[in-house]
């Protein structure tokens, strides 16, 4: 045990020392071991050795151990090999015996004495199993942090202990699998060639990873006598006689048990882990490349199914020392998954990984580097830094790609704390790399590393470089670069249009992702040129429509969401293509719903007839949701084409279908409020529909209509009476509330018919109702009635309709610039509010979906919940949107100021002095720019402000503070006389001034 | 960008997961299952599902949901497109993309995913480059189970000047095939007039030519194509000025261009359906009769005709006799399907019979919609014709071939 601990320390030292040249410390062991044991895997060669090289065998363990001690010169398969081996042995003679002895049993038995071998020959397979167990247990007991390659050297020595069959049995497979690099194998081949020429080449092939038993066992005829009895060899040889070309068939049976076991993962992962562990340690399995790989594949398979396979970590680490790339890949995959769970053990794997990072094969280098960067465990940073830096300068682009992304991973591991300036510079310089994917990866990586500083900076040279590389990138790269280019602000108009011309062809790309990316870039770059924006939207109409009828439903859906967004600004844009948005029967729900919404928005005089007819067809759809959506859509269209729609809706009532009637009535309610001219028609349609309404929403709508327009509906009191009769069994409190209000309203215009039931209802609500809100409402109305009928009228009878609310809902014709920054993001799909909520949760994780810096007062949060918007009347906030970055020069301001008349003047109470800085900042927040301002404490104090809204209307403001009369005089000038926006602006200004004033006092 | 990928089957089991940036717990899929439960059919699960911490973007193909977990704002089309590319790649590798196949090849799947995405960003997605990195399982490899499916060398094409074509391509038979495939999407109303119709066309190419050939393809009637999107290899400027496709082709199979023809007068409808489906209020029997016939086919035969229709809930059973082909009616799903085969213009295929309706139920509000599938070989219904294909830059004479085909896309007839 003691020596085991010491050994771990040594290992760490060795690791530290060789950190920069990964794997050097270890390679000699394998090399030496190979030399020693020559062709362990091939019993025949080994036996040959045994015959002619007894003295060497003695020195071999020491040689292996000596190598461990850090004497690390890679043993080259050259002429000096024997000499070096001997010298190694000499240098650390003691270590070989003491340090190595306690290690696992799976030593290389081949180099062992002839007698040992012979006794082993007779050992049955069971003995082999014993050996395997020993081999597995050994390292763990000793607490040895053995990398696989390391384990090998241990095993070299361990054969001292494991006399007898089992030990050797266990050893043999290691010989076979052990080659931890091409060189190692070369050595094996060469040595065996030397010791037994006849056998050498075959040995080489066997080691080379093909796992082809055929040539090997055919070739090893001479050695067969010795090799035969070991069961492993037997197993290998059998098939080669049976069918040399398909060795796998011969040993179907041992592998054949695997599927049977695989079917039982439900027994719980423990059994599976135990069993796999056994299999992984089994020397027979290990010896056999394919079986070994099969077991590893099973581990991975279980892992992917979510079973906890971390129990076999140690065994998997061992398996990583192989020349077989597939096996390496599998093991790395495993390690990346479980490294965070077993950080201690995962450290063992790093050595192998480091070594692979300098493998001659770029595939292996890339693979190792990627795996190492993905280990996701604390403390790994120090080991990966150097390999990453090397990788950045690798000559294979494959490795550079991995290394560049590795930088980002490493940064994440560091916990986002400090940014390594040198690394960032290196990445910036790699933007000029030849390989397009390296370039894109650099951008991605920088973006993550510099997250806190706002991401990668795109200056003019970078932007131009990227623009020139665009055609060479793949579609993903193009889409992402287009996204990055959004940050670049061209210096001149000329440059801007050059860029647009350069990117023109991407609007016709075959990838919708690229088309959308390009569209967004166009919209943003051309934000000052509305005609260009419109042009672009016309150009992408084709691709967008194509995406809308794409084979992929999901693409369709996303494209439709964007179509809707475009329609907000350009209502007529898709009108001529309205038929594209007709639903077909087989489409999934979400597409149908989007299409109906689109149809509702693109309707115009020419197509209204066809669209309504189509929608009418959807209203009887089997799916209730879809039918209801269609009805709501008709309700939407009814705001413009009232008569036709009301007629259709009335017809729908005739179907007497519950789900249809309820929605129609709700639509009517909204419609009457917005388009009072249809009241008459609605009132005529209503009688009779109470029979088909069961749900809360529908009942509320109906009761509301009966209450507000009851004087025009003859049977209104009787319908309400039914509701009053059944109020005890009514389950929805909201319906009761609505009933109270409606009945009271109706009482005001038809008192005779209502008095009695109103009394009953109030009595019920006050005496029997359990719901507090309903009871309070009842009490409230009761007391109100006590105050006299005139008072009730004054309070309860508000206007019965208000078309201006329609404007508030539609937000008609939002300018393109208001949504351009959201284009091609998830916002059109699920709305800004939704996304903001999600991003908020993420805290530091969140990269910030370009926050909208337009001060949008119209949409400043849902103060009024959706369901109440009908009843609460909000002052029309007009859609005032002030544009950020409206920079006016002082001269221009002065000129305009003098050329305009004062549009509005008012005084604002103000006490004390002004803090110009605070005020300026506060104004900046709402996108009002300060042109000039007196310094603090000046008398009189003056400030000139400017702002511009999205329609281009300028607001110029003068603030004048005369301390003696303690009020601020505000004069506003406007270059286009528009009162709504002016009022909006003044209220914004007042809010700001009020807030600042409050803070001060 | 893409944090994790989950593969979920339609019964709601996660059978594969892969994480890139960080491990996202499986429980995130609960939101997906919720949505799956809400949607009555698998197809109706919305492609974007917001959860408190993530967005789940999914595509549903081959009865498998490919669910990507997203944490930061992303272009949705980009991710959806990428997921489709993943599915295409699997299909390319394994022939079919189904749950058992993915489970069988889980290791290859993992390797492929590993190469396709790193740190959540798409890397290698071109199938010919991927196939050089990871060899697809072949029959021999499966039999021998020697899954040395990893290429020893890096794809050579990566350093080529033309990013989509590798250098040093060699073939003994030099050939270039082009398939012009058009799909008609149409909605036909009760009376047989067209409500909407459009043609979605693609030209798929299989080019196996040695060296760096430079091809030009010209059409007889290029004006037909108004709405075109190209493979990146096509020189866009040349198309704009001369309406000629000029390109250095990628090696192997690729989609050269896709186009739309939506001007209604240009879309010929090659079939008509005569139908007489009637329910009566009183009786529990309904009449059902449909006949399919050709129209505007330019003398070509219509093949592979399949008629399907979702009957109303009230229909209990149907007893029908087809004049040709076979038909089935599933009383549970109420799906009628009639495999007609070829249409012989002399003897039009028809399907006649009665429907037995639920007794006492009122007659259904809506008549069923009929979906049609068919194929017409050697005809591009839009009339698009390739004029000639020329090759420059190489000396040999390639073998050239053009094939036309018309198929029904979403073709439905309302009754």
């Amino acid at each position: 045990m003691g020596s085991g601990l010491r050994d771990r320390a040594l290992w760490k030292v060795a690791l530290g020392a060789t950190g920069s040249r990964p794997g050097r410390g270890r390679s000699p062991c394998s090399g030496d071991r190979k030399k020693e044991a020559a062709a362990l895997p091939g019993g025949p060669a080994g036996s040959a050795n045994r015959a002619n090289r007894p003295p060497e065998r003695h020195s071999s363990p020491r040689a292996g151990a000596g190598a461990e001690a850090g004497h690390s010169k890679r043993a080259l398969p050259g002429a000096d090999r024997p000499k070096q081996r001997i010298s190694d042995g000499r240098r650390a003679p003691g270590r070989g015996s003491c340090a190595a002895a306690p290690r696992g049993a799976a030593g290389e038995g081949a180099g062992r004495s002839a007698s040992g071998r012979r006794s082993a020959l007779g050992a049955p397979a069971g003995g082999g199993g014993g050996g395997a167990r020993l081999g597995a247990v050994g390292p763990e007991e000793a607490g040895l942090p053995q990398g696989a390659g390391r384990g090998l050297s241990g095993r070299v020595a361990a054969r001292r202990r494991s006399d007898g069959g089992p030990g050797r049995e266990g050893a043999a497979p290691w010989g076979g699998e052990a080659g931890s690099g091409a060189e190692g194998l070369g050595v094996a081949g060469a040595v065996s060639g030397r010791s037994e020429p006849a056998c050498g080449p075959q040995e080489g092939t066997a080691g080379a990873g093909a796992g082809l038993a055929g040539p090997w066992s055919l070739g090893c005829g001479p050695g067969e006598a010795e090799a035969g009895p070991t069961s492993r060899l037997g197993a290998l040889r059998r098939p080669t006689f049976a069918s040399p070309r398909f060795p796998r068939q011969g040993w179907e049976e041992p592998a054949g048990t695997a599927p049977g076991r695989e079917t039982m993962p439900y027994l719980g992962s423990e059994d599976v882990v135990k069993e796999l562990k056994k299999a992984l340690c089994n020397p027979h399995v290990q010896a056999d490349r394919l079986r070994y790989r099969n077991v590893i594949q099973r581990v991975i398979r279980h892992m992917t199914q979510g079973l906890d396979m971390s129990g076999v970590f140690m065994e998997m680490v061992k398996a990583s020392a192989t020349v077989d790339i597939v096996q390496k890949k599998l093991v790395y995959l495993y390690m990346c998954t479980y490294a965070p769970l077993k950080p201690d053990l995962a450290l063992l794997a790093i050595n192998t990984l480091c070594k692979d990072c300098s493998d001659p094969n770029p595939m292996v280098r890339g693979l190792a580097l990627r795996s190492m960067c993905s280990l996701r465990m604390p403390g790994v940073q120090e080991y990966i830094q150097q390999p990453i830096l090397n990788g950045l300068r690798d000559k294979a682009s494959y490795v550079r790609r991995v290394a560049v992304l590795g930088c980002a991973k490493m940064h994440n591991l560091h916990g986002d704390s400090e940014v390594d300036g040198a690394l960032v510079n290196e990445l910036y310089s790699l933007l000029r790399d030849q390989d397009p994917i390296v370039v894109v990866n650099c951008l991605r990586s920088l973006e993550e590393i510099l997250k806190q500083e706002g991401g990668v900076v795109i200056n003019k040279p970078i932007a131009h470089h990227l623009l020139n590389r665009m055609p060479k990138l793949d579609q993903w790269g193009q889409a992402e670069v287009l996204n990055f280019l959004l940050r670049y602000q061209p210096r001149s108009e000329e440059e801007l249009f050059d860029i647009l011309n350069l990117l023109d062809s991407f609007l016709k790309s075959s990838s919708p992702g690229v088309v959308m990316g390009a569209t967004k870039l166009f919209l943003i770059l051309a934000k000052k040129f509305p005609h260009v924006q419109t042009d672009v939207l016309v150009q992408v109409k084709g691709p967008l429509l194509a995406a809308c009828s794409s084979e992929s439903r999901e693409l369709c859906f996303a494209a439709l969401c964007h179509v809707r967004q475009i329609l907000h600004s350009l209502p007529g844009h898709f009108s001529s293509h309205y038929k594209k948005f007709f639903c077909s029967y087989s489409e999934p729900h979400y597409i149908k719903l989007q299409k109906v919404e689109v149809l509702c928005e693109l309707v115009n005089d020419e197509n209204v007839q066809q669209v309504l007819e189509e929608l009418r067809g959807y209203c009887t759809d089997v799916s209730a949701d879809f039918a209801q959506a269609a009805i709501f859509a008709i309700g939407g269209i009814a705001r413009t084409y009232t008569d036709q729609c009301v007629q259709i809706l009335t017809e729908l009532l005739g179907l007497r279908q519950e789900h249809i009637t309820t929605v129609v009535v709700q639509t009517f309610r909204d419609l009457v409020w917005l388009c009072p001219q249809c009241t008459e028609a609605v009132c005529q349609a209503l009688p009779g529909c109470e029979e088909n309404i069961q749900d809360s929403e529908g009942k509320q709508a109906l009761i509301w209509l009966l209450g507000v327009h009851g004087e025009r509906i003859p049977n209104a009191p009787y319908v309400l009476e039914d509701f009053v009769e059944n109020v005890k069994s009514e389950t929805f409190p909201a319906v009761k509330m609505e009933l109270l209000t409606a009945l009271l309203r109706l009482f005001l215009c038809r008192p005779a018919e209502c008095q009695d039931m109103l009394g009953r209802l109030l009595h019920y609500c006050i005496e029997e109702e359990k719901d507090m809100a309903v009871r309070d409402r009842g009490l409230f109305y009761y007391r109100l009635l006590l105050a006299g009928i005139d008072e009730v009228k004054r309070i309860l009878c508000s206007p019965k309709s208000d078309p201006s609310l329609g404007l508030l809902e539609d937000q008609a014709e939002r300018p393109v610039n208001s949504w351009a920054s959201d284009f091609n993001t998830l916002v059109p799909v699920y709305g800004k509010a939704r996304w903001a909520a999600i991003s908020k949760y993420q805290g530091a994780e969140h990269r910030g979906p370009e926050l909208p810096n337009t001060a949008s007062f119209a949409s400043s949060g849902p103060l009024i919940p959706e369901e109440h918007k009908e009843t609460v009347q909000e002052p029309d906030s007009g859609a005032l949107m002030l544009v950020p970055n409206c920079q006016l020069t002082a001269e221009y301001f002065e000129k305009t100021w003098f050329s305009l008349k004062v549009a509005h003047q008012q005084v604002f109470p103000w006490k004390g002095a002004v803090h110009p800085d605070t005020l300026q900042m506060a104004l900046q927040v709402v996108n009002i720019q300060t042109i000039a301002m007196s310094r603090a404490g000046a008398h009189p104090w003056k400030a000139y402000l400017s702002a511009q809204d999205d329609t281009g209307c300028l607001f110029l403001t003068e603030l004048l503070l005369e301390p003696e009369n303690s009020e601020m005089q505000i004069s506003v000038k406007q270059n286009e006389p528009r009162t709504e926006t002016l009022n909006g602006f003044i209220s914004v200004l007042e809010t700001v001034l009020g807030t600042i004033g409050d803070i001060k006092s | 960008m893409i944090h994790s990928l989950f593969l979920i089957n339609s019964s709601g089991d996660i059978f594969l997961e892969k994480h890139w940036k960080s491990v996202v717990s499986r429980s995130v899929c609960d939101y997906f299952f919720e949505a799956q439960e809400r949607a009555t059919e698998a197809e109706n699960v919305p492609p974007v599902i917001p959860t408190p911490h993530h967005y789940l973007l999914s595509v549903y193909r081959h009865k498998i949901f490919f669910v990507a977990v997203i944490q930061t704002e992303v272009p949705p089309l980009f991710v959806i497109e990428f997921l489709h590319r993943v599915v295409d790649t699997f299909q390319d590798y394994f022939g079919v993309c189904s749950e058992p196949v993915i489970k069988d090849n889980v290791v290859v799947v993992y390797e492929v995913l590993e190469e396709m995405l790193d740190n959540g960003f798409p890397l290698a997605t071109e199938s010919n480059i991927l196939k050089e990195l990871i060899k697809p399982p072949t029959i021999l490899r499966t039999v021998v189970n020697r899954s040395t499916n990893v290429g020893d060398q890096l794809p050579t094409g990566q350093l080529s000047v033309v990013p989509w074509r590798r250098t040093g391509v060699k073939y003994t038979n030099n050939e270039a095939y082009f398939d012009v495939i058009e799909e008609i999407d149409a909605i036909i109303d009760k009376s047989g007039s067209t409500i909407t119709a459009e043609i979605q066309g693609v030209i798929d190419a299989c080019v196996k030519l040695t060296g760096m050939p430079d091809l030009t393809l010209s059409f007889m009637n290029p004006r037909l194509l108004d709405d075109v999107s190209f493979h990146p290899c096509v020189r866009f400027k040349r198309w704009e000025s001369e309406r000629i496709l000029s390109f250095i082709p990628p090696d192997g199979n690729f989609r050269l261009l896709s186009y739309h023809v939506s001007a209604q007068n240009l879309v010929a409808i090659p079939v008509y359906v005569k139908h007489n489906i009637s329910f009566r209020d009183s009786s529990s029997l309904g009449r059902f009769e449909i006949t399919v016939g050709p129209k505007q086919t330019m003398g070509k035969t219509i093949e592979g005709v399949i008629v399907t229709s979702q009957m109303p809930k009230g229909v209990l059973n149907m007893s029908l006799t087809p004049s040709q082909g076979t038909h089935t009616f599933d009383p549970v799903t109420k799906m009628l399907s009639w495999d007609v085969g070829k249409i012989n213009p002399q003897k039009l295929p028809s399907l006649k019979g009665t429907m037995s309706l639920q007794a006492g139920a009122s007659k259904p509000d809506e008549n069923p919609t009929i979906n049609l599938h068919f194929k017409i070989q050697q005809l591009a219904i839009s009339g698009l014709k390739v004029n000639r294909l020329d090759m420059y830059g190489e000396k040999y004479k390639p073998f050239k071939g053009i094939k036309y085909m018309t198929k029904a896309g979403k073709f439905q007839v309302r009754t």
Side-chain angles (χ1 to χ4, degrees), chain A residues 210-214 232-240 242-243 246-257 284-285 287-294, chain B residues 144-146:
Chain A
L212 250 187
R232 179 183 69 85
L233 294 179
L236 259 179
R237 209 177 58 249
R238 217 181 324 136
T240 55
S243 82
F246 297 102
R248 158 110 171 109
Q249 289 170 353
W251 29 293
E252 266 301 346
E253 358 164 32
T257 48
H284 297 300
V285 175
D288 192 325
R289 206 171 287 283
L290 295 173
R291 263 175 86 189
Y292 201 20
R293 193 193 288 158
N294 273 344
Chain B
V144 182
N145 196 20
R146 284 176 47 205

Side-chain angles (χ1 to χ4, degrees), chain A residues 148 174 176-179 209 280 285-297 300 315-335 356 367 371, chain B residues 107 111 147-150:
Chain A
W174 282 102
E177 294 294 335
L280 281 172
V285 175
Q286 290 174 344
D288 192 325
R289 206 171 287 283
L290 295 173
R291 263 175 86 189
Y292 201 20
R293 193 193 288 158
N294 273 344
V295 177
I296 293 171
Q297 287 199 356
I300 305 275
E315 287 71 24
M316 291 296 270
V317 168
K318 274 187 207 153
S320 70
T322 169
V323 281
D324 183 358
I325 297 185
V326 179
Q327 188 172 334
K328 246 190 217 308
K329 262 194 177 183
L330 295 178
V331 175
Y332 287 164
L333 193 68
Y334 172 90
M335 283 200 244
D356 283 343
L367 182 66
S371 309
Chain B
V107 175
E111 287 175 42
S147 52
T148 37
N149 52 350
V150 174

Side-chain angles (χ1 to χ4, degrees), chain B residues 117-342:
Chain B
L117 276 179
D118 189 6
N119 208 21
F121 299 112
L123 282 186
T125 53
E126 283 294 327
S127 89
N128 51 9
I129 291 182
L130 268 176
K131 279 188 176 164
E132 280 184 66
L133 283 169
I134 302 151
K135 302 248 164 49
T138 59
I139 294 174
L140 182 71
R141 262 184 231 121
T142 325
V143 171
V144 182
N145 196 20
R146 284 176 47 205
S147 52
T148 37
N149 52 350
V150 174
D152 300 339
Q153 284 175 345
L154 279 173
T156 40
Q158 308 217 334
L159 292 172
S160 153
V161 234
V162 186
W164 54 84
R165 188 178 177 89
R166 59 199 172 99
T167 46
V169 186
K170 271 214 175 74
Y171 289 102
T172 41
N173 296 326
N174 289 295
E175 43 196 20
Y177 296 106
F178 293 86
D179 291 354
V180 180
I181 302 170
E182 299 195 333
E183 281 193 11
I184 310 181
D185 291 349
I187 303 178
I188 313 289
D189 79 353
K190 272 188 218 305
S191 59
S193 56
T194 310
I195 294 179
T196 151
E198 65 173 352
I199 295 171
Q200 317 223 27
V202 293
I203 299 185
D204 282 341
C206 174
V207 177
K208 295 184 173 171
L209 296 175
T210 308
M212 265 302 162
D214 196 331
L215 302 180
T216 52
L217 184 77
S218 61
F219 297 101
M220 305 274 247
N221 38 9
R223 303 273 155 212
L224 215 66
L225 309 172
D226 42 355
D227 213 359
V228 201
S229 51
F230 299 108
H231 190 276
C233 69
V234 176
R235 298 184 181 101
F236 186 59
K237 291 276 183 275
R238 186 104 190 258
W239 168 258
E240 280 206 316
S241 57
E242 303 170 51
R243 296 271 149 179
I244 282 178
L245 292 177
S246 158
F247 55 97
I248 295 176
D251 188 35
N253 294 313
F254 64 100
R255 176 155 295 178
L256 182 61
L257 86 161
S258 50
Y259 58 90
H260 284 253
V261 180
S262 50
Q264 224 158 85
N265 44 358
L266 286 176
V267 181
I269 303 290
V271 274
Y272 70 89
V273 177
K274 262 206 313 218
H275 51 82
N276 181 6
I277 301 172
S278 58
F279 304 99
R280 255 162 288 149
D281 250 336
S282 49
S283 105
S284 65
L285 279 183
R287 276 225 325 243
F288 185 95
E289 182 181 347
I290 47 178
T291 311
V292 190
K295 132 183 154 182
Q296 295 177 298
T297 60
M298 324 200 179
K300 302 283 194 293
T301 330
I302 302 175
E303 315 170 337
V305 181
I306 299 172
V307 179
T308 53
S309 179
Q310 171 80 52
M311 304 308 283
K313 276 181 229 148
V315 177
L316 288 181
N317 214 338
M318 307 182 79
S319 69
L320 303 169
T321 35
S323 70
Q324 73 177 72
T326 53
H327 81 283
T328 52
F329 176 72
D330 184 344
V332 182
T333 57
K334 315 283 181 206
M335 185 60 88
L336 171 72
S337 142
W338 175 30
D339 190 342
V340 185
K342 268 187 202 169

Side-chain angles (χ1 to χ4, degrees), chain A residues 565 814 822 825-841 846 849-852 856 859-864 866, chain B residues 50-52 55 73:
Chain A
Q565 189 161 49
R814 288 192 280 150
D822 294 334
T825 63
L826 285 166
V827 172
V829 183
Y830 266 101
K832 201 175 257 175
R834 215 49 195 279
W835 180 254
I838 288 184
S839 336
K840 204 172 62 197
Y841 277 111
H846 143 236
E850 304 124 69
L851 282 172
S856 96
S859 59
S860 61
L863 285 174
I864 305 160
E866 285 280 293
Chain B
T51 78
Y55 264 104
E73 181 63 276

Side-chain angles (χ1 to χ4, degrees), chain A residues 529-564:
Chain A
F529 306 95
H531 64 279
V532 175
Q533 289 183 326
T534 321
D535 267 6
V536 171
L537 290 176
V538 170
Q539 271 208 50
V540 296
K541 210 183 218 185
L544 253 183
L545 285 172
C548 284
S549 45
S550 144
E551 232 178 299
S552 148
R553 293 178 287 256
E554 295 82 10
L555 273 184
C556 252
F557 173 73
L560 282 167
C561 291
H562 283 91
V563 166
R564 277 182 65 192

